[in-house]
């Protein structure tokens, strides 16, 4: 059964019980009232009737005596006093008596023995007859014995009547007392019943409430305890489904949830194990990579040494001979030797660039950071190197240096390498006009720029020139370059937390910019 | 420039020795070569007073200019003499290292025969020089 249904039934039962209690109370109260009403209804007419009889009889007897006295006096004084009016009054009183009697008989017929009413009727009749007799004898003043006899007879009848009437009154008053006792009894009974049923009702409601609360609260408490244990990591909880209501459904859901958690927990721990394994593997892989990186760095260092060593002999010997240091040489020999020297220098720059790019790409490039570098000296040295490259070309180099240049932190050699690369490129590609080198502070950066009046770079080559071993068409025509200078420079700038970019249009020259943070933010090189 | 300067060169490669030889002879310098060995320190002593010591960084049998530097500096007779490295080793790695050790300079191989005497003169004048080629 649903919990909702249970609760609704409980409330219905309680409402029913309360209603029943109210009805019972109402019923008993009603009955008590009825008893009293009955007493009043029943008793009053009977007593009234008796009262009426009593009064009428007394009046009648009184009338008879007084009228009789008048008659006797009239006879004595010779005045006839008889008249219909007084006789009529006698009859009226009798009439009232009779009515009272009839009324009484009607009202009391059920409760009073018929012998009493018969007797009452007989004594009443007796009073009437004796009264009448006495009246008719009243003129017989000459016969006092007879008069006195009639007088006595009326008094006797009167006494009999009063006696019987008193009996009737006694009966009525007894009945009244009896009814009164009965209704008092019934009232107290109904009071006890009301109290009793009230207490029974309270006990019943409390019991029902307790049972309902127990059926609802107990399984919830069980769930609560189980949930707490689960929270502590004990997943071996299974709660028996005890009812078919919402709590039963909740318990089923709870069990399913515990199952799911247990499963999830297991999966999680499996996953965790797998993850730990992966971490170990990754660590091993990293160690392996570090090892192989170390081997690579050692190889690069060795390569660097082995490739440059023969170039020391090649470059110097060719120049010794061509300069005439070791004996006379003719022009043709000088020309060839100079070409040999040029090729050797190109080979050297290739070796240097290849080694740099290998370092960058293997992630083994290291910056040797110095603080408080004054770059203006370096820029001047770089410009001097550029002047040599210009040879006889009609190109002017201008240097525009901002005031109050800050000292910066970075790898001085590498920064100079970037600047030399940009200035050399400008010198190589500019046939006439001017090259403007600027160095200025902008916010927290130092901006180095090289603007030339060279051929400019086509839009489609703007990215290509930063790719390794790629050159623009102009670059390839001019020759000399390795196609590595710009990619290396850009990576070196980025390694300093800076950037390198350019603006150029065909026929309008090019401007290359390098921004370096004044306070070095060393970045891991992205390969 | 280097007239009568006494220069001791620790170099094993014959071709490189020829390069030094031609330059120093032209400059009028006095010089002596040795590949590093147990007798080198005594040879330097014999060559004293020495003005400048040049060491190659990568020598046979795993000997490096760094070991040599420590031994030279341990000798009171010439522990004040400037020592420079002239090497084909990667300058970006070698320069910071030799500078930290206390060398007076580094010149990358291949050397520039025209600039080389001027560079040495700077060292003899007490300057530090770092040429990465």
């Amino acid at each position: 059964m649903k919990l909702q249904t249970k609760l609704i039934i409980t409330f219905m039962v309680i409402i029913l019980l309360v209603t029943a209690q109210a009805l019972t109370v109402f019923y008993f109260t009603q009955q008590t009232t009825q008893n009293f009403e009955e007493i009043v209804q029943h008793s009053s007419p009977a007593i009234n009737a008796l009262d009426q009889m009593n009064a009428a009889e007394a009046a009648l007897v009184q009338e008879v005596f007084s009228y009789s006295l008048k008659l006797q006096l009239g006879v004595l004084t010779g005045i006839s006093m008889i008249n219909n009016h007084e006789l009529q009054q006698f009859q009226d009183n009798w009439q009232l008596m009779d009515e009272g009697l009839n009324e009484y008989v009607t009202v009391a017929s059920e409760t009073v023995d018929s012998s009493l009413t018969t007797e009452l009727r007989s004594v009443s009749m007796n009073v009437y007859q004796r009264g009448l007799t006495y009246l008719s004898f009243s003129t017989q003043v000459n016969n006092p014995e007879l008069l006195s006899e009639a007088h006595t007879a009326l008094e006797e009848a009167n006494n009999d009547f009063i006696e019987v009437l008193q009996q009737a009154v006694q009966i009525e008053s007894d009945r009244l007392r009896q009814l009164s006792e009965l209704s008092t009894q019934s009232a107290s009974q109904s009071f006890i019943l009301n109290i009793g049923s009230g207490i029974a009702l309270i006990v019943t409601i409390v019991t029902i409430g307790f049972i309902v609360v127990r059926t609802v609260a107990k399984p919830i408490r069980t769930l609560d305890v189980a949930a707490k244990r689960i929270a502590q990591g004990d997943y071996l909880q299974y709660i028996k489904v005890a009812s078919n209501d919402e709590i039963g459904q909740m318990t089923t859901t709870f069990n399913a949830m515990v199952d799911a958690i247990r499963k999830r927990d297991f999966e999680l721990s499996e996953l965790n194990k797998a993850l730990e394994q992966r971490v170990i593997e990754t660590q091993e892989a990293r160690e392996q990579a570090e090892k192989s990186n170390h081997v690579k760095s050692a190889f690069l260092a060795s390569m660097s040494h082995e490739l440059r060593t023969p170039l020391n002999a090649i470059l110097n010997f060719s120049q010794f001979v061509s300069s005439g240091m070791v004996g006379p040489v003719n022009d043709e020999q000088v020309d060839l030797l100079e070409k040999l020297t040029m090729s050797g220098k190109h080979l050297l720059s290739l070796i240097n660039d290849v080694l740099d790019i290998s370092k960058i790409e293997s992630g083994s490039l290291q910056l040797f950071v110095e603080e408080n570098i004054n770059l203006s000296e370096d820029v001047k040295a770089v410009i001097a190197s550029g002047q040599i490259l210009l040879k006889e070309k009609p190109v002017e180099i201008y240097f525009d240096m901002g005031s109050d240049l800050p000292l910066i932190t970075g790898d001085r050699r590498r920064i100079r390498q970037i600047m030399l690369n940009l200035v050399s490129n400008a010198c190589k590609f500019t046939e006439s006009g001017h090259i403007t080198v600027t160095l200025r502070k902008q916010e927290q950066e130092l901006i180095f720029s090289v603007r030339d009046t060279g051929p400019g770079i086509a839009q489609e080559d703007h990215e290509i020139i930063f790719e390794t071993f790629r050159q623009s068409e102009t670059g390839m025509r001019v020759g000399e370059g390795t196609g590595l200078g710009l990619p290396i420079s850009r990576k070196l700038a980025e390694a300093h937390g800076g950037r390198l970019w350019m603006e150029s249009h065909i026929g309008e020259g090019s401007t290359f910019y390098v921004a370096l943070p004044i306070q070095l933010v060393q970045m891991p090189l992205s390969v | 420039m280097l007239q009568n300067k006494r220069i001791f060169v620790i170099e094993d490669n014959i071709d490189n020795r020829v390069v030094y030889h031609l330059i120093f002879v032209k400059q009028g310098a006095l010089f002596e070569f040795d590949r590093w060995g147990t007798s080198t320190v005594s040879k330097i002593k014999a060559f004293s007073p020495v003005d400048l010591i040049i060491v190659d960084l990568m020598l046979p049998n795993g000997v490096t200019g760094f070991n040599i530097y420590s031994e030279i500096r341990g000798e009171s007779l010439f522990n004040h003499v400037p020592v420079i490295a002239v090497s084909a080793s990667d300058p970006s790695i070698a320069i910071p290292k030799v500078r930290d050790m206390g060398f007076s300079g580094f010149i990358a191989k291949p050397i520039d025969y025209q600039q080389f005497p001027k560079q040495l003169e700077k060292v003899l004048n007490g300057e530090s020089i770092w040429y990465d080629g």
Side-chain angles (χ1 to χ4, degrees):
Chain A
M1 204 194 295
K2 278 180 134 192
L3 197 66
Q4 195 185 3
T5 322
K6 273 185 194 171
L7 290 175
I8 287 170
I9 288 172
T10 310
F11 280 117
M12 297 280 258
V13 167
I14 289 169
I15 288 166
L16 221 67
L17 286 169
V18 170
T19 312
Q21 158 79 0
L23 284 175
T24 315
V25 170
F26 180 74
Y27 173 74
F28 283 118
T29 315
Q30 194 76 359
Q31 206 161 45
T32 312
T33 317
Q34 213 175 340
N35 280 342
F36 280 112
E37 270 175 9
E38 203 178 315
I39 293 161
V40 173
Q41 262 177 15
H42 192 86
S43 311
S44 312
I47 287 170
N48 282 348
L50 290 174
D51 202 35
Q52 186 183 334
M53 277 174 79
N54 189 27
E57 194 267 352
L60 185 136
V61 172
Q62 194 59 43
E63 288 285 336
V64 170
F65 285 135
S66 104
Y67 187 48
S68 168
L69 198 63
K70 279 184 191 169
L71 281 177
Q72 287 170 38
L73 285 172
V75 172
L76 290 176
T77 55
I79 306 162
S80 175
M81 297 292 282
I82 208 130
N83 67 45
N84 286 336
H85 174 71
E86 277 157 342
L87 203 63
Q88 189 59 44
Q89 256 187 351
F90 175 81
Q91 285 300 341
D92 283 352
N93 278 332
W94 166 245
Q95 195 72 39
L96 278 171
M97 259 183 82
D98 196 42
E99 272 175 17
L101 181 65
N102 287 337
E103 176 72 20
Y104 177 67
V105 169
T106 315
V107 173
S109 62
E110 285 167 19
T111 51
V112 177
D113 196 358
S114 62
S115 63
L116 184 71
T117 50
T118 313
E119 207 180 341
L120 199 59
R121 187 174 295 277
S122 118
V123 291
S124 298
M125 283 300 289
N126 209 22
V127 168
Y128 174 69
Q129 279 162 4
R130 298 275 173 91
L132 215 54
T133 310
Y134 183 54
L135 277 180
S136 61
F137 287 160
S138 293
T139 48
Q140 309 283 317
V141 283
N142 305 331
N143 193 354
E145 269 179 41
L146 195 67
L147 203 61
S148 164
E149 210 173 292
H151 186 97
T152 311
L154 183 57
E155 276 186 338
E156 276 172 4
N158 184 37
N159 286 342
D160 287 349
F161 175 81
I162 287 167
E163 195 180 316
V164 173
L165 191 77
Q166 269 172 353
Q167 269 181 42
V169 169
Q170 186 65 44
I171 284 168
E172 282 308 317
S173 82
D174 281 353
R175 235 181 63 80
L176 197 64
R177 197 170 54 248
Q178 206 181 339
L179 273 172
S180 167
E181 273 169 14
L182 203 73
S183 74
T184 308
Q185 203 180 344
S186 120
S188 72
Q189 262 177 358
S190 109
F191 177 73
I192 289 164
L193 258 166
N194 287 349
I195 294 288
S197 68
I199 289 167
L201 183 70
I202 289 166
V203 169
T204 312
I205 289 171
V206 166
T207 310
I208 289 171
F210 184 73
I211 289 166
V212 169
V213 166
R214 229 180 104 82
T215 44
V216 175
K218 200 188 165 196
I220 290 176
R221 223 177 6 252
T222 315
L223 276 175
D224 182 50
V225 168
K228 274 179 187 144
R229 294 187 62 177
I230 283 161
Q232 285 161 6
D234 176 9
Y235 299 130
L236 296 171
Q237 297 289 318
Y238 180 81
I239 302 165
K240 217 177 118 203
V241 181
S243 56
N244 199 21
D245 55 18
E246 286 91 336
I247 293 168
Q249 283 168 14
M250 209 160 99
T251 310
T252 312
T253 313
F254 183 84
N255 285 334
M257 184 192 79
V258 174
D259 251 10
I261 290 176
R262 192 164 40 218
K263 210 171 140 199
R264 196 83 49 84
D265 195 55
F266 176 73
E267 283 171 359
L268 217 63
S269 79
E270 286 297 302
L271 214 68
N272 210 17
K273 273 186 215 158
L275 215 64
E276 273 167 18
Q277 184 60 35
R278 281 267 285 284
V279 168
I280 292 166
E281 280 168 12
T282 310
Q283 209 163 347
E284 282 171 357
R286 198 174 57 220
E287 278 164 16
Q288 193 62 43
E290 272 167 16
K291 212 194 277 179
S292 80
N293 229 359
H294 187 75
V295 171
K296 215 184 286 178
S297 299
F299 173 74
L300 283 173
S302 159
M303 275 281 283
S304 163
H305 188 263
E306 297 310 313
L307 289 172
R308 266 188 280 242
T309 299
L311 276 172
N312 194 35
I314 293 167
L315 286 176
N316 284 298
F317 290 173
S318 63
Q319 287 176 96
F320 289 156
V321 178
S322 70
S323 67
M325 235 172 84
V326 290
V329 277
N330 63 36
D331 288 351
E332 202 181 350
Q333 287 166 330
V334 168
D335 185 46
L336 289 173
L337 286 167
E338 278 179 354
K339 281 188 170 131
L340 173 63
T341 307
M342 285 306 293
S343 294
K345 283 184 174 168
H346 184 63
L347 181 60
L348 177 63
S349 61
L350 257 174
I351 291 166
N352 287 339
D353 284 355
V354 167
L355 289 170
D356 275 346
I357 208 78
S358 306
K359 271 191 253 176
I360 288 165
E361 287 184 352
S362 71
S364 57
L365 179 89
Q366 268 182 290
L367 292 184
F368 294 95
V369 178
E370 287 177 69
E371 288 175 0
N372 303 324
I373 304 168
N374 181 357
L375 280 184
S376 59
E377 286 309 308
D378 298 78
V379 177
K380 282 171 194 161
V382 163
I383 289 170
S385 304
Q387 295 283 12
I388 297 166
L389 289 173
L390 284 174
K391 291 170 191 158
E392 303 300 313
K393 289 196 282 187
V395 179
E396 286 290 323
I397 304 184
Y398 303 116
F399 179 33
D400 176 12
M401 189 172 73
S403 56
D404 295 335
L405 281 181
L407 301 177
I408 75 160
T409 301
D411 185 333
R412 187 175 203 154
R413 238 191 98 245
R414 292 304 193 179
I415 294 170
R416 200 169 57 205
Q417 186 180 344
I418 299 168
M419 298 193 298
L420 184 62
N421 177 250
L422 298 185
V423 171
S424 310
N425 286 346
C427 293
K428 269 189 247 170
F429 292 105
T430 308
E431 291 306 318
S432 65
H434 48 84
I435 295 166
T436 309
V437 178
T438 64
L439 186 64
R440 64 199 152 82
K441 179 180 183 261
Q442 189 175 305
E443 286 169 8
Q444 289 309 302
E445 287 179 321
L446 202 60
I447 311 281
F448 173 78
S449 72
V450 181
R451 190 170 74 235
D452 64 41
T453 54
I457 300 162
Q459 187 70 36
E460 63 264 29
D461 289 334
H462 281 196
E463 281 309 310
I464 286 174
I465 58 168
F466 289 106
E467 291 172 20
T468 49
F469 294 112
R470 297 284 298 268
Q471 282 179 299
S472 67
E473 271 185 40
T474 318
M476 284 190 269
R477 201 165 54 242
V478 171
E480 292 184 22
T482 60
L484 291 170
L486 282 173
I488 290 170
S489 295
R490 178 174 264 186
K491 290 288 185 187
L492 290 175
E494 285 168 3
H496 279 83
R499 56 214 142 76
L500 191 158
W501 73 100
M502 53 133 354
E503 287 164 4
S504 183
H505 294 286
I506 284 283
E508 291 174 22
S510 313
T511 311
F512 282 80
Y513 300 90
V514 183
L516 296 168
I518 291 163
Q519 285 305 314
L520 179 75
V521 189
Q522 206 165 344
M523 305 295 271
L525 267 186
S526 58
V527 175
Chain B
M1 280 184 267
L2 300 175
Q3 194 71 38
N4 294 324
K5 296 292 178 192
R6 302 179 70 84
I7 303 168
F8 197 91
V9 184
I10 298 162
E11 170 65 71
D12 65 300
N13 184 292
I14 298 298
D15 292 340
N16 289 340
R17 284 188 182 189
V18 173
V19 173
Y20 285 125
H21 182 92
L22 285 170
I23 294 169
F24 291 154
V25 166
K26 198 183 174 212
Q27 292 289 325
L30 303 167
F31 56 95
E32 178 79 55
F33 291 111
D34 190 34
R35 62 190 308 162
W36 187 254
T38 46
S39 58
T40 308
V41 172
S42 53
K43 275 188 183 169
I44 301 171
K45 276 183 186 167
F47 187 66
S48 289
V50 63
D51 294 308
L52 175 68
I53 299 169
I54 294 172
V55 295
D56 187 13
L57 289 181
M58 307 269 264
L59 291 156
N61 308 319
V63 176
T64 68
F66 310 115
N67 316 130
I68 295 167
Y69 183 80
S70 316
E71 288 204 37
I72 291 167
R73 281 282 169 261
E75 202 55 56
S76 60
L77 192 62
F78 40 80
N79 63 4
H80 59 283
V81 175
V83 178
I84 65 163
V86 177
S87 171
S89 295
D90 184 351
S92 65
I93 295 167
I95 290 175
K97 207 166 173 181
V98 297
R99 192 165 50 192
D100 286 352
M101 284 187 78
F103 280 73
S104 299
F106 178 94
I107 298 168
K109 281 178 190 162
I111 59 169
D112 181 327
Y113 82 101
Q114 286 171 316
Q115 297 297 318
F116 192 65
K118 295 175 196 164
Q119 292 162 349
L120 295 191
E121 200 188 11
K122 280 188 182 175
V123 180
L124 290 168
N125 289 338
E127 283 183 48
S128 292
I129 53 158
W130 314 102
Y131 294 108
D132 53 19

